[in-house]
Amino acid sequence: MVYDVAIIGGGPAGYTAAIRAAQFGLKVALIEKTPKLGGTCLHVGCIPTKALLFNAEIWDHLKHAADFGIEGLGAPTLNWAAVLKRKDGIITKHAKGLEFLMKKHKIVVVPGAGALTGSAVAGVHTVSVEKDGVNSEIRAKNVILATGSDARTLFGLQPDDRILTNIEMLSVAEPPKSLIVIGAGAVGMEFGSIFRTFGAEVTVVEYLPRVVPVEDEEISKELTRLFKKRGIDINTGAKVETIERTETGVRVRWTDQNGKPQQKEAEKVLVAVGRAPRTANVGIEKTRIQLGRGFIPVNEAGETAEPGVFAIGDIAAGLPQLAHVGAMSGMIAAAKIAGKSFRPIRKDRIPGCTYTEPQVGSVGLTEKEAKEKGYTVKVGKFPFAGNSKATILGNHDGFVKVISDAEFGEILGVHILGPQATELIAEAVAVLELEGTVDELMYSIHAHPTLAESLLDAYGAVNGMAINA
């Protein structure tokens, strides 16, 4: 059989591309080397991490149960084994859901490690598939590479029971009493937030000048303040020099922002310094594709330099390594293959979410970026302290910040730090997609009382007309 498309990799990018291609009526083969579909996101990334974050949120509420009129609980204890069991149950449920979707859409799932064998012959590509030492072949008119990424490490250290990446961190036998997190991006900050809630002494060490460095500077500054308020030791502008095992844990030495040597020892160290594209052993060298720092250059449809070969998700050059970006790039590639219309991904329309306590959600330009692009900027800010629903939830740290173009009022960016920021940001994505203006959004009715009203007040704040501040 000759498939219309063969996809190598069954993570969010790959399985989404497979489903969309099948919806377009294409014959699809999905090649996956691990026992279950879902990739890093489902098994050792987005989903289990957010499961633990929800556990942490509940634990935080229990600490203050009396404030909500709930008494007689005694002293609650944390059953970590049950926490992990729930996390694993969520993974299993959604892995089975993916199996069902493959059957529903008549997608052929091929177990094994797929690799390109060269250019197409008479318009047909041949993909080799190795499974338990046995080789087979899949033939397809198009091939989509969706092989994902791996956690980067430092100094060539291999993960173990003390020096961990996200994979090991998600299955620790017990919450560590002390933890050093190297890297203050979303992954590092989320794990720091989780384990601080569960009682760990947490230290964050970041090379760049601020935490969550891709966010607006005011978001970084306030999140730093709130993390410090929680007792988390934040060190930015810090260059890690060594990581060494000791008799009882791990010692990290770094040079601080003033050039002074610092060191700290903890039970465990989490290395969260980014992810490396998984482009080895997939036959890239047998094609016209030239890697750039390990990534595959692609056009707006995900096409590579090799005709009929696409690359999507974490391996595609120029796109942030986010599951939702991978999924959308998969839908775009499938549309291109099927000859359907599509809209290219715009980087300034990609929501960024960090599921810490408090949460961060953002889309569009930061204030600094907007000014650098030549806009005359007007900014509106509204604190959650003025939002009644936030007070009801007992969670009113943070703010909403709206960046707009002073000339036409177009909203250029929205940045949220606070309760449910990762949910609220969806409205802002729609606003930017539809090129909404401050004047239009000031008259959009938001239900009361809701956290979403904070956006309405932030739109009004651009013109100095927030109602609740």
Side-chain angles (χ1 to χ4, degrees):
M1 174 185 288
V2 176
Y3 293 92
D4 292 306
V5 57
I7 302 166
I8 303 176
Y15 73 68
T16 301
I19 292 170
R20 181 51 52 88
Q23 289 171 336
F24 284 138
L26 303 181
K27 291 185 292 185
V28 183
L30 180 60
I31 304 165
E32 172 55 47
K33 65 180 181 181
T34 64
K36 299 288 185 180
L37 298 177
T40 293
C41 177
L42 176 56
H43 296 281
V44 290
C46 323
I47 304 306
T49 306
K50 279 55 181 179
L52 294 187
L53 282 157
F54 184 64
N55 278 91
E57 181 181 345
I58 293 174
W59 188 244
D60 266 331
H61 282 307
L62 288 174
K63 291 177 186 176
H64 305 286
D67 294 341
F68 295 92
I70 301 171
E71 299 178 348
L73 293 178
T77 58
L78 184 68
N79 184 337
W80 186 248
V83 170
L84 296 183
K85 182 178 179 181
R86 180 176 185 274
K87 174 212 41 149
D88 292 340
I90 291 169
I91 294 169
T92 299
K93 171 183 171 62
H94 286 275
K96 289 180 178 178
L98 288 175
E99 290 179 10
F100 167 77
L101 289 173
M102 296 305 107
K103 292 175 182 177
K104 174 184 175 181
H105 293 287
K106 296 180 173 56
I107 296 164
V108 177
V109 179
V110 181
L116 299 165
T117 58
S119 300
V121 177
V124 177
H125 293 270
T126 299
V127 177
S128 68
V129 181
E130 188 275 326
K131 172 67 173 174
D132 297 329
V134 178
N135 290 293
S136 60
E137 292 183 343
I138 294 290
R139 300 175 71 227
K141 298 173 186 176
N142 299 276
V143 178
I144 299 177
L145 301 176
T147 46
S149 60
D150 294 303
R152 295 184 188 274
T153 58
L154 292 172
F155 313 123
L157 293 168
Q158 295 302 307
D160 56 21
D161 62 338
R162 297 189 197 177
I163 301 173
L164 311 100
T165 67
N166 60 291
I167 296 175
E168 297 78 28
M169 198 79 242
L170 284 164
S171 57
V172 290
E174 293 291 340
K177 293 181 174 60
S178 56
L179 173 68
I180 298 173
V181 178
I182 301 176
V187 173
M189 294 295 276
E190 287 176 2
F191 276 113
S193 184
I194 290 168
F195 288 103
R196 179 59 188 153
T197 295
F198 292 141
E201 176 189 321
V202 176
T203 300
V204 176
V205 181
E206 168 59 47
Y207 178 74
L208 294 174
R210 55 194 179 92
V211 302
V212 287
V214 299
E215 300 294 344
D216 187 89
E217 290 185 18
E218 287 192 78
I219 296 287
S220 297
K221 182 178 179 180
E222 181 64 5
L223 186 59
T224 297
R225 187 187 73 81
L226 293 171
F227 262 43
K228 287 182 176 180
K229 184 178 177 182
R230 294 177 61 188
I232 298 173
D233 181 18
I234 301 289
N235 301 268
T236 54
K239 181 183 178 183
V240 175
E241 304 292 350
T242 62
I243 303 171
E244 55 188 6
R245 296 172 181 84
T246 65
E247 287 187 10
T248 57
V250 187
R251 181 183 296 112
V252 178
R253 301 179 193 270
W254 69 89
T255 302
D256 68 18
Q257 59 186 347
N258 298 314
K260 295 181 179 180
Q262 305 289 344
Q263 67 173 19
K264 204 163 194 177
E265 187 171 339
E267 188 178 312
K268 296 186 188 298
V269 168
L270 170 66
V271 180
V273 293
R275 301 188 62 80
R278 199 180 287 146
T279 47
N281 305 314
V282 289
I284 299 292
E285 70 283 355
K286 297 176 182 178
T287 71
R288 304 177 195 180
I289 298 169
Q290 297 293 318
L291 297 177
R293 295 173 52 229
F295 292 90
I296 299 176
V298 295
N299 67 9
E300 63 182 19
E303 293 175 293
T304 70
E306 182 63 48
V309 176
F310 295 70
I312 60 175
D314 286 2
I315 60 173
L319 292 177
Q321 293 175 305
L322 300 169
H324 45 285
V325 175
M328 182 56 68
S329 66
M331 287 187 259
I332 289 171
K336 177 67 175 179
I337 291 168
K340 306 294 184 180
S341 62
F342 63 88
R343 292 177 59 185
I345 291 173
R346 283 186 55 170
K347 292 183 186 178
D348 59 350
R349 299 290 186 268
I350 297 172
C353 294
T354 304
Y355 298 76
T356 45
E357 176 51 50
Q359 295 182 0
V360 180
S362 64
V363 66
L365 302 177
T366 66
E367 183 176 355
K368 181 180 178 181
E369 289 170 342
K371 289 176 179 176
E372 288 174 346
K373 287 182 176 292
Y375 288 102
T376 300
V377 171
K378 287 184 71 175
V379 175
K381 281 182 66 179
F382 178 76
F384 278 102
N387 178 269
S388 56
K389 183 61 179 291
T391 305
I392 290 167
L393 297 176
N395 189 350
H396 41 59
D397 287 325
F399 56 85
V400 178
K401 179 177 180 178
V402 173
I403 314 297
S404 71
D405 169 30
E407 184 177 2
F408 299 107
E410 182 179 353
I411 294 172
L412 305 173
V414 177
H415 308 274
I416 308 173
L417 174 68
Q420 295 300 311
T422 60
E423 299 287 342
L424 295 175
I425 200 62
E427 174 182 315
V429 175
V431 166
L432 266 66
E433 284 285 0
L434 298 173
E435 299 181 351
T437 67
V438 171
D439 288 342
E440 291 169 335
L441 273 299
M442 280 179 66
Y443 290 94
S444 59
I445 299 175
H446 288 62
H448 176 76
T450 60
L451 293 172
E453 285 179 288
S454 60
L455 285 158
L456 178 62
D457 268 312
Y459 302 139
V462 173
N463 291 328
M465 299 177 70
I467 295 297
N468 295 293

